[in-house]
């Protein structure tokens, strides 16, 4: 799948997969949609209403990140491997933001402490 195709996907189409991943593991981790949304808002600067609007208006991933109120400056502290690629080594800024979000979703689903997920914030 080319980056252009991923960038054009609706955030509203991807968000339910994030929710499903977190809920599937919720019984073991005590994590839920509230923590998922907290992590998304931490990364992007959206508030709850802004996140809901992004889902409702079906903006693309490119638009979701371009319209993000304020990407968290500590996002650069997100490290690790997603799909066999180290997120800190991704050169395309938009793809890196998408993979940062994927990494946060994985951490919420795994039950990591929220303080750690939010990089101490």
């Amino acid at each position: 799948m080319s980056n252009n195709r991923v960038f054009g996907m609706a955030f509203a189409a991807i968000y339910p997969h994030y929710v499903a991943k977190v809920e599937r593991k919720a019984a073991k981790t005590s994590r839920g949609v509230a923590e998922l949304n907290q992590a998304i808002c931490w990364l992007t600067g959206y508030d709850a209403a802004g996140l809901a609007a992004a889902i409702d208006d079906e903006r693309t991933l490119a638009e979701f990140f371009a319209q993000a109120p304020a990407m968290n400056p500590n996002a650069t502290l997100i490290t690790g491997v997603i799909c066999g690629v180290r997120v800190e080594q991704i050169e395309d800024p938009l793809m890196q933001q998408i993979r940062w979000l994927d990494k946060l979703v994985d951490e919420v689903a795994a039950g990591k402490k929220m303080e750690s997920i939010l990089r101490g914030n």
Side-chain angles (χ1 to χ4, degrees):
M1 181 180 297
S2 73
N3 288 350
N4 291 338
R5 186 168 170 200
V6 171
F7 297 164
M9 294 178 74
F11 178 73
I14 296 168
Y15 179 77
H17 296 285
Y18 293 154
V19 170
K21 183 173 196 167
V22 169
E23 288 180 339
R24 186 173 56 246
K25 298 182 179 190
K28 296 178 188 174
T29 66
S30 73
R31 294 281 182 247
V33 177
E35 289 86 0
L36 170 64
N37 290 346
Q38 182 182 2
I40 294 170
C41 292
W42 172 86
L43 177 64
T44 61
Y46 284 105
D47 59 14
L51 181 57
I55 295 166
D56 291 342
D57 69 17
E58 297 196 18
R59 65 188 72 165
T60 65
L61 277 173
E63 294 166 337
F64 177 77
F65 285 104
Q67 296 172 17
M71 291 299 291
N72 193 301
N74 286 340
T76 58
L77 299 176
I78 300 170
T79 60
V81 177
I82 292 285
C83 298
V85 178
R86 295 209 64 82
V87 296
E88 60 272 25
Q89 295 175 348
I90 297 172
E91 292 184 13
D92 183 283
L94 178 54
M95 182 54 72
Q96 187 174 51
Q97 291 171 338
I98 292 167
R99 294 306 185 184
W100 283 339
L101 179 54
D102 291 343
K103 188 67 178 166
L104 292 179
V105 172
D106 286 352
E107 291 175 358
V108 170
K112 212 171 169 187
K113 292 180 182 178
M114 287 306 292
E115 180 179 323
S116 177
I117 294 169
L118 304 182
R119 304 318 191 247
N121 292 60

